[in-house]
C-alpha cells in the first residue's frame, strides 16, 4: 500500500517538476532582461555582443534553447537536464549542480534545526493554551501567534545581531559571534560528508568546529524559530481545541482515562495537520530564507539564488528553482508518510 | 457603519428542496471597533498609514502643501550618521520646534548618507502601502474573476487553468517574486505586478471553492428559471455571494505584500535607492548595525512590524465575524 502511494506521488511530482521547469524556462525569457548586455557591458561592440550571445546559446530560437537545456536533439556540447546536468553557471563557469550540492545543505541545516525547535516549543505551549481556553496561557499564545506570523524576519535578525553581538560585547557579556559566516576563520573546517556542519564535525570528531558551528548557528536559528513558531502554535492550538471537542475524546474521558493520557491522544491527532504546516514552511524557507542568510553571511542556496537572479544567470536560476522544488516535493512526501504513521485514521 | 454583503435573499431552497432561510450576515464594524481592542488598534494603525501615504502622494502628484515630513525624504541633509536626540530632550525640542520655530531636530537620526530617518520612515507608506494595496487589489480582482469562471463553468479549459494556478502556488514565493522583479526591471509597477501574480492563486482557489458551493444553491436555479443568461447568473447572482472569503483574505494579503516588498528591497531586488521604502532603509542601515548605529534600521522595522501586525489583526477580526 505504502509502495503504491509513494510511486503515485512520485509520478505526480515528476509531472509537477516538468511543469515548473518549463514555466521557469519561459518566464525568465519572456521578461525583458538582457543577460548578454549584463555580461559584456553596455559599451560592447555588436560583434562582441553577438559572440557572447552565441556562446551562451541565446541566439537560437526558444524551442532549440529548450531542447539544449533538456539535452534532446541538442546542437551544443554538454549534457542536458535529462542526463542529470544542469549546465554551467554563466558567471562562475562552474557546474551548477556542484554549486547547489555545496550550498543546499547549508540552508537545509539551519532550517531543519529551526523548524524542529519551533515544533518542540509549540507543542507544550499549544497544549497549555488549548486545555484551558480563555486563560492567560491561551491569550498569550493567541497574541503571539498573530504577532509572530506578521513580522519582518530580516529586521528581527538585525536586531538580534545588534543586541546579542554588539550590545553584549559592549557590556562585556559573552556575546554571539559576528554575523560573518558559519565558522570562525581560525577553526579548521571539517571534511564535508553531509554538508551539515554540526554532523560533519561530530563525524570527524572535531569538537572545536562543532561548538563553533553551533555558536554561529545560534542566532540564525533563533531568528527563524522566533518568526515561525507563531504560526505553528496558532495552528496547533486551533487543532487542539477542535480535537478536544470531538466525540472520541469525550469517550476517552467518560471511560475514565487520566486527563494526561487524554491530552496525549488529542495531541497526536492535532499534531498531524501542524506537521503539514511545517512541511509547507520547509518549502517556503528553502527559497525564502534569503534575507536571513544574507544577514548572517551563511552562503546557502538563498544567497546563491539572489546572486544568480541579479546577474541574470539563466541556467543557475533554472537549476535553483528546480532543485528547491524537488527538495520541497520530497519533504511533502516524507511529511505525508509521517502523517499516516501518527494518525491511524489516514490510510494510503 | 453597517455593511450588508451581497443581495439578500428572503428564503431559498437548497439543492435537495429544503427551504433555507439565510442568516443575515452583517457586521457592525463600528460596534466591533468600540468593543475589541485588537481590532481597534489594527484599524487605527491602518488608517494612520493610509493617511501618511495619502499626504505624500497628494504632495508629489498634485503639488499640494500636504507634506508633513520635516525634511525632504530624498534629499541628504549633510549631517551624516547623527544619532537621535536622547529621549529626555524630546519634550523641550518639541516645544522649540512647534512654538519657537526652531529647525526641527533629526528625531530618528540620519543615515550614513545624511538622509533624515524620521522623514523617510513616515514618507515610506507612499511606496509600501501603494505597492501592497494595489497588488492585493489587482490579485483579488484577477483571482476572483478567474476563480468565478473556473468554478462556474466546469470543463477541460477551466481545469487546465486550475492546474496552472496550482502550479503557480507550488512555486517558492520569494524566489518567484525575486525573479519577476529583478528580470523585469526594479520599477514600482513591476513589483506590483509581480506581487499580484504571486498572490492571485490564493484568490482563485478561495473564490472557486465558494462559487462551487454557491452554484448548487436554490437561488441560482431560480435565477436560471426566470430566464437569466448564464453570464448574468454568474456575475449578478453567484459572484456577489462568493466574495466574502476573498474580502477577508485581502487584509492579510496586504500585510504579506508589505513584508514581501520590504524583503525584496532588503535583498536588493526591490525598489532602487533612495526611494523611501522601509525594507530599503533597513538594508541601507544593515552594515552599520554591527558598528552600533542602531537608529538607521530600527525605526523602519518597527513601522513594518506594526503595519503588518495591524493588517493581520484587522483580517483576524473580520474572519471571526464572517468566516
Amino acid at each position: 500500500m505504502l509502495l503504491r502511494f509513494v510511486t503515485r506521488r512520485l509520478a505526480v511530482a515528476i509531472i509537477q517538476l516538468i511543469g515548473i521547469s518549463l514555466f521557469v524556462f519561459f518566464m525568465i525569457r519572456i521578461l525583458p532582461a538582457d543577460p548578454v548586455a549584463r555580461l559584456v557591458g553596455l559599451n560592447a561592440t555588436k560583434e562582441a555582443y553577438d559572440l557572447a550571445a552565441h556562446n551562451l546559446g541565446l541566439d537560437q530560437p526558444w524551442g532549440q534553447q529548450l531542447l539544449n537545456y533538456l539535452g534532446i536533439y541538442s546542437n551544443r556540447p554538454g549534457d542536458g537536464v535529462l542526463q542529470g546536468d544542469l549546465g554551467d553557471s554563466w558567471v562562475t563557469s562552474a557546474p551548477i549542480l556542484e554549486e547547489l550540492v555545496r550550498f543546499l545543505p547549508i540552508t537545509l541545516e539551519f532550517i531543519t534545526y529551526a523548524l524542529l525547535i519551533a515544533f518542540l516549543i509549540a507543542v507544550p505551549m499549544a497544549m497549555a493554551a488549548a486545555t484551558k481556553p480563555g486563560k492567560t496561557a491561551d491569550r498569550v499564545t493567541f497574541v503571539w501567534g498573530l504577532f509572530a506570523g506578521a513580522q519582518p524576519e530580516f529586521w528581527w535578525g538585525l536586531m538580534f545581531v545588534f543586541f546579542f553581538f554588539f550590545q553584549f560585547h559592549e557590556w562585556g557579556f559573552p556575546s554571539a559571534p559576528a554575523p560573518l559566516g558559519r565558522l570562525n576563520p581560525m577553526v579548521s573546517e571539517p571534511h564535508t560528508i553531509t554538508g551539515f556542519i554540526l554532523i560533519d564535525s561530530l563525524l570527524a570528531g572535531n569538537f572545536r568546529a562543532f561548538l563553533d558551528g553551533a555558536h554561529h548557528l545560534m542566532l540564525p536559528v533563533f531568528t527563524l524559530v522566533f518568526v515561525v513558531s507563531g504560526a505553528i502554535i496558532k495552528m496547533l492550538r486551533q487543532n487542539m481545541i477542535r480535537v478536544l471537542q470531538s466525540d472520541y475524546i469525550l469517550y476517552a474521558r467518560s471511560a475514565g482515562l487520566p486527563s494526561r493520557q487524554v491530552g496525549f491522544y488529542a495531541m497526536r491527532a492535532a499534531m498531524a495537520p501542524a506537521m503539514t504546516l511545517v512541511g509547507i514552511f520547509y518549502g517556503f524557507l528553502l527559497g525564502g530564507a534569503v534575507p536571513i542568510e544574507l544577514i548572517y553571511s551563511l552562503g546557502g542556496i538563498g544567497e546563491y539564488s539572489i546572486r544568480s537572479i541579479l546577474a541574470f544567470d539563466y541556467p543557475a536560476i533554472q537549476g535553483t528553482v528546480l532543485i528547491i522544488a524537488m527538495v520541497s516535493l520530497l519533504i511533502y512526501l516524507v511529511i505525508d508518510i509521517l502523517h499516516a504513521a501518527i494518525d491511524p485514521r489516514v490510510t494510503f | 457603519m453597517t455593511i450588508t454583503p451581497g443581495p439578500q435573499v428572503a428564503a431559498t431552497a437548497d439543492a435537495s428542496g429544503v427551504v433555507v432561510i439565510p442568516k443575515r450576515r452583517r457586521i457592525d464594524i463600528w460596534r466591533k471597533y468600540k468593543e475589541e481592542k485588537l481590532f481597534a488598534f489594527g484599524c487605527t494603525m491602518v488608517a494612520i498609514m493610509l493617511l501618511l501615504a495619502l499626504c505624500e502622494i497628494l504632495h508629489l502628484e498634485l503639488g499640494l502643501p500636504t507634506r508633513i515630513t520635516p525634511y525632504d525624504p530624498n534629499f541628504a541633509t549633510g549631517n551624516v550618521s547623527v544619532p537621535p536626540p536622547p529621549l529626555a530632550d524630546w519634550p523641550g525640542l518639541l516645544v522649540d520646534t512647534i512654538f519657537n520655530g526652531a529647525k526641527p531636530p533629526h528625531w530618528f537620526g540620519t543615515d550614513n548618507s545624511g538622509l533624515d530617518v524620521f522623514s523617510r520612515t513616515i514618507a515610506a507608506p507612499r511606496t509600501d502601502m501603494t505597492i501592497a494595496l494595489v497588488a492585493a487589489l489587482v490579485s483579488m480582482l484577477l483571482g476572483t474573476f478567474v476563480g468565478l469562471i473556473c468554478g462556474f463553468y466546469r470543463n477541460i479549459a477551466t481545469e487546465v487553468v486550475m492546474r496552472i494556478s496550482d502550479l503557480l502556488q507550488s512555486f517558492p514565493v520569494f524566489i518567484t517574486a525575486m525573479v519577476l522583479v529583478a528580470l523585469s526591471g526594479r520599477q514600482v509597477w513591476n513589483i506590483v505586478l509581480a506581487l499580484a501574480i504571486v498572490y492571485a492563486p490564493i484568490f482563485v482557489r478561495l473564490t472557486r471553492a465558494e462559487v462551487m458551493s454557491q452554484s448548487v444553491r436554490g437561488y441560482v436555479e431560480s435565477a436560471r428559471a426566470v430566464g437569466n443568461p448564464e453570464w448574468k447568473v454568474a456575475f449578478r447572482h453567484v459572484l456577489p455571494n462568493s466574495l466574502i472569503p476573498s474580502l477577508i483574505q485581502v487584509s492579510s494579503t496586504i500585510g504579506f505584500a508589505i513584508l514581501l516588498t520590504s524583503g525584496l528591497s532588503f535583498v536588493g531586488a526591490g525598489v532602487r535607492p533612495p526611494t523611501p521604502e522601509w525594507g530599503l532603509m533597513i538594508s541601507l542601515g544593515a552594515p552599520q548595525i554591527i558598528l552600533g548605529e542602531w537608529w538607521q534600521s530600527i525605526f523602519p522595522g518597527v513601522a513594518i512590524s506594526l503595519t503588518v501586525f495591524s493588517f493581520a489583526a484587522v483580517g483576524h477580526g473580520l474572519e471571526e465575524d464572517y468566516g
Side-chain angles (χ1 to χ4, degrees), chain B residues 139-188:
Chain B
S139 69
M140 189 191 112
L141 289 179
L142 192 77
T144 314
F145 182 76
V146 175
L148 175 68
I149 304 283
C150 288
F152 198 74
Y153 303 98
R154 312 281 301 285
N155 53 33
I156 294 192
T158 56
E159 194 59 32
V160 169
V161 173
M162 278 316 289
R163 289 284 87 79
I164 293 177
S165 159
D166 283 354
L167 196 69
L168 222 70
Q169 214 172 6
S170 70
F171 262 65
V173 174
F174 200 79
I175 295 217
T176 317
M178 284 197 301
V179 171
L180 284 172
V181 175
L183 267 61
S184 56
R186 293 158 51 192
Q187 310 297 334
V188 168

Side-chain angles (χ1 to χ4, degrees), chain A residues 15-16 19-20 23-24 27-29 31-33 142-143 146-147 149-156 158-159 161-162 165-166 179-180 234 283-284 286-288 290-292 294-295 301-302 305-306 309-310 312 314 317 320-321 324-325 332, chain B residues 38 164 166-168 170-176 178-186 256 259 262-263 266-269 278-279 282-283 285-287 289-294 297-302 304-306 308-309 312-313 316 320:
Chain A
I15 297 172
Q16 267 176 308
I20 288 175
F23 201 93
V24 174
M27 180 174 81
I28 55 182
R29 281 168 174 78
L31 295 174
F142 165 72
V143 174
L146 201 61
F147 178 78
Q151 290 304 309
E153 75 287 3
F154 53 93
W155 179 70
W156 283 103
L158 272 182
M159 291 303 114
V161 169
F162 174 72
F165 168 66
F166 179 80
L180 302 169
K234 197 161 117 188
F284 173 75
L286 267 177
V290 189
I292 294 188
L294 283 176
I295 289 172
I301 198 167
S305 68
I306 182 70
I309 289 170
L310 290 181
F312 299 166
Y314 285 4
I317 298 174
T320 317
V321 174
I324 287 181
Y332 294 160
Chain B
L38 201 65
I164 293 177
D166 283 354
L167 196 69
L168 222 70
S170 70
F171 262 65
V173 174
F174 200 79
I175 295 217
T176 317
M178 284 197 301
V179 171
L180 284 172
V181 175
L183 267 61
S184 56
R186 293 158 51 192
F256 285 131
L259 279 185
S262 51
F266 184 81
V267 300
W278 290 324
I282 298 178
S283 120
I289 205 110
I290 49 173
L291 306 173
E293 294 185 5
W294 48 272
S297 36
I298 195 168
F299 296 110
V302 172
I304 300 179
S305 176
L306 282 178
V308 181
F309 175 65
H316 175 81
E320 249 180 358

Side-chain angles (χ1 to χ4, degrees), chain A residues 257-309:
Chain A
L257 290 179
S259 67
R260 190 190 295 166
Q261 202 170 353
V262 176
F264 174 74
Y265 283 144
M267 200 67 228
R268 208 167 91 161
M271 232 156 78
M275 279 183 38
T276 313
L277 184 72
V278 170
I280 292 172
F281 265 123
Y282 234 110
F284 173 75
L285 287 175
L286 267 177
V290 189
I292 294 188
E293 284 177 25
L294 283 176
I295 289 172
Y296 298 101
S297 318
L298 292 176
I301 198 167
E303 249 188 282
Y304 183 73
S305 68
I306 182 70
R307 237 187 305 140
S308 36
I309 289 170

